[in-house]
Amino acid sequence: MKKKQVARATIVLVLLFTTLLSACASGGDESSGGDSGGKVKIKWATWGNPGELSRFQEMTKEFNKTHPDIEAEFIPIPGEYDQKILTQLTGGTAPDVFYAGDGLVVKLIENNSIENLTPLMDAETSLIKEEDYFPGLWGAAKRDDQIYGVAVDCNPMVLWYNKKVLQEAGITEMPADLQANGQWTWDKFQEMTTKIKDSKKYGYVLDNSWNSYHSWVTSNGGTVYDESGKFVGATDAKSKEAFQFLYDNVKSKNITFSGTLPKGQGGDAMFMSNQVGFVGAGRWYLPLFKKNASLEYDVVTWPTNTGNKIEPAGIPTAYLVLNKTSKNKEAAYQFFSEFVSKEGQQFRLQGGGNAVPSVQGVDDVVLEGNLPEHAQLFLDARDIGYALTPHEAGIPGLTQDIASKFEALWLRNEPLEASLTGIQDMANKKIEEYKNK
């Protein structure tokens, strides 16, 4: 009797062991893509505000519904995003697909952490092609004609203006109407901000950001970096003229540096309380402003000083990248492609979204609802604008160092020429040191 029991127990153990071996052989490890349902699992990550994160969750669910063989998991990463991604890449736990800002994408290209997308996009079966996207948006994500990231969407810089503040200052011609007639110039801008200041309100709030500074330079036909990648803001005549314009208007209080606003106040909040005439931003202000039913606002492109109706301005961007060590690149690229495709951007941006498509063919999401009235100008600015140049984005910490120097200029009222020379010397030293590493 005991012998029979032992024999039966032995048979059960053998069968159990065989089953376990079979499960391992069939890919039971979920991290490698297999599970009992035969689904390939991928993960993707980004930052975002609550509204964006909710839309990302919806899109992930929709993708999973239409791809029963793939299970995508969305992982929001709040705070210290770059550092967390870099740590995960080092530890081999990074998501298959994730967002990267212009500074991060450069690091990831250099340390060979992300996939070269050009061969994938060139494939006949690829849902997305290089020519689908606006050329000014590649920025730091393109190196040696190879693509390492695709702009998920974009945010062309424009000037938002508060109609009520302008009208109460005695301004009868609205900026967008002047722009349509080719009369939106630096002189008109200065005239308006002077009137707003005289009405005891703030004319224009200048943010301490590359996209604002570069936009003023290029609206004058100037350049911040030359073709060799050197900072020339202190020597390029048009660039110097732009910074002089800002400097003079800050001194006359037509322009207010954001760092000197009342404690706890930002340009957006003061704009909504009818204290500011102009603020520079992308479409990201739309969801906030449209909640305020009494707020009267519109947008206009950067004023020009060249005789041209419109000049290129900066475009903040973020890129979607593909982890080079992804174990399921085919599934990851499928998700990647759909996310940045026409359909993907339409899904994410429709209904008053906070950005502008980077892909051709879905401009209607910006024009829907006629909010703001001259929303077409977002598209006009995108068509000729530019992402942050790799000359700056490619040097770790350079953007922040330049911003710190400009902050000192505005806060301490230092001499302009000496400050610009100091910024240029510092920038070119960092650039040269980085090249020689």
Side-chain angles (χ1 to χ4, degrees):
M1 190 69 178
K2 286 182 180 178
K3 287 181 180 179
K4 287 182 181 180
Q5 289 175 336
V6 171
R8 278 197 291 267
T10 302
I11 291 169
V12 170
L13 287 171
V14 169
L15 288 171
L16 179 60
F17 184 66
T18 304
T19 302
L20 288 171
L21 282 176
S22 176
C24 290
S26 65
D29 179 6
E30 289 186 0
S31 66
S32 67
D35 65 11
S36 58
K39 290 187 177 183
V40 174
K41 292 193 172 186
I42 59 170
K43 296 180 180 181
W44 79 278
T46 183
W47 59 81
N49 60 47
E52 289 175 310
L53 298 181
S54 176
R55 186 65 62 93
F56 293 152
Q57 289 283 17
E58 290 174 25
M59 187 168 185
T60 306
K61 287 179 183 177
E62 187 64 25
F63 177 86
N64 289 336
K65 190 187 301 182
T66 56
H67 295 80
D69 57 332
I70 304 173
E71 184 179 329
E73 180 185 356
F74 173 46
I75 304 172
I77 300 181
E80 298 182 349
Y81 180 87
D82 288 9
Q83 188 54 51
K84 288 176 181 176
I85 285 290
L86 290 169
T87 300
Q88 290 173 7
L89 285 166
T90 301
T93 60
D96 301 271
V97 175
F98 55 93
Y99 271 36
D102 40 41
L104 179 58
V105 78
V106 170
K107 291 181 185 177
L108 301 179
I109 293 171
E110 292 183 349
N111 66 23
N112 203 29
S113 294
I114 53 178
E115 195 73 29
N116 179 351
L117 299 169
T118 299
L120 297 172
M121 294 174 72
D122 285 346
E124 191 175 337
T125 56
S126 179
L127 179 65
I128 57 173
K129 301 292 182 183
E130 179 178 349
E131 57 268 24
D132 296 340
Y133 300 87
F134 291 87
L137 302 179
W138 293 115
K142 195 172 188 181
R143 178 173 294 194
D144 301 325
D145 288 326
Q146 300 298 296
I147 296 168
Y148 293 87
V150 176
V152 294
D153 43 47
C154 65
N155 254 304
M157 291 294 289
V158 296
L159 294 180
W160 293 79
Y161 59 91
N162 186 310
K163 292 182 179 182
K164 185 177 181 181
V165 171
L166 268 61
Q167 289 164 351
E168 289 180 349
I171 296 167
T172 56
E173 295 178 294
M174 290 296 105
D177 297 325
L178 291 171
Q179 201 276 345
N181 296 323
Q183 298 175 322
W184 181 230
T185 64
W186 279 14
D187 288 342
K188 279 292 184 182
F189 174 81
Q190 184 168 334
E191 180 186 315
M192 287 188 184
T193 52
T194 299
K195 288 182 177 180
I196 296 168
K197 176 197 68 177
D198 290 345
S199 70
K200 308 303 180 186
K201 295 189 177 180
Y202 296 89
Y204 162 62
V205 173
L206 173 66
D207 284 325
N208 193 25
S209 62
W210 77 266
N211 35 64
S212 289
Y213 297 138
H214 289 213
S215 296
W216 282 106
V217 169
T218 52
S219 73
N220 194 38
T223 183
V224 180
Y225 292 87
D226 65 17
E227 291 182 359
S228 71
K230 287 186 177 179
F231 186 100
V232 293
T235 48
D236 177 73
K238 294 290 186 180
S239 179
K240 287 174 65 178
E241 188 177 16
F243 288 121
Q244 187 70 57
F245 178 78
L246 291 177
Y247 188 78
D248 292 344
N249 279 280
V250 168
K251 289 194 76 172
S252 68
K253 299 189 185 306
N254 290 344
I255 293 176
T256 302
F257 176 58
S258 58
T260 62
L261 289 173
K263 190 174 181 180
Q265 292 287 340
D268 54 348
M270 296 182 72
F271 185 93
M272 288 192 292
S273 61
N274 299 317
Q275 295 300 309
V276 173
F278 293 93
V279 289
R283 195 172 178 241
W284 62 76
Y285 274 162
L286 180 59
L288 181 66
F289 289 171
K290 73 176 186 177
K291 287 181 181 178
N292 188 335
S294 63
L295 185 64
E296 298 176 40
Y297 59 88
D298 204 347
V299 294
V300 66
T301 55
W302 234 254
T304 66
N305 196 41
T306 61
N308 294 327
K309 190 173 179 179
I310 183 173
E311 291 286 359
I315 305 179
T317 55
Y319 302 96
L320 198 65
V321 298
L322 178 58
N323 187 342
K324 195 162 190 176
T325 61
S326 170
K327 295 176 182 176
N328 296 296
K329 283 183 186 169
E330 186 176 342
Y333 185 66
Q334 183 67 38
F335 178 85
F336 182 108
S337 303
E338 294 190 22
F339 191 90
V340 297
S341 70
K342 288 193 294 185
E343 293 76 15
Q345 294 198 37
Q346 177 130 21
F347 183 92
R348 289 186 282 115
L349 300 176
Q350 63 191 349
N354 64 349
V356 174
S358 62
V359 68
Q360 301 190 49
V362 284
D363 289 353
D364 56 305
V365 298
V366 176
L367 303 176
E368 63 187 8
N370 205 33
L371 276 177
E373 182 182 351
H374 290 88
Q376 174 64 40
L377 294 177
F378 282 118
L379 304 174
D380 296 343
R382 176 204 58 193
D383 294 352
I384 66 168
Y386 52 88
L388 179 60
T389 173
H391 299 320
E392 181 171 319
I395 312 301
L398 181 56
T399 298
Q400 292 80 5
D401 289 345
I402 291 173
S404 294
K405 293 280 188 182
F406 271 115
E407 183 176 33
L409 167 65
W410 308 127
L411 292 179
R412 299 174 192 165
N413 199 25
E414 296 175 346
L416 177 63
E417 188 168 346
S419 295
L420 283 179
T421 300
I423 291 170
Q424 180 164 297
D425 290 345
M426 177 276 296
N428 288 332
K429 182 180 178 183
K430 286 201 73 163
I431 291 168
E432 194 62 31
E433 287 175 349
Y434 192 74
K435 284 181 179 177
N436 295 328
K437 280 178 66 176

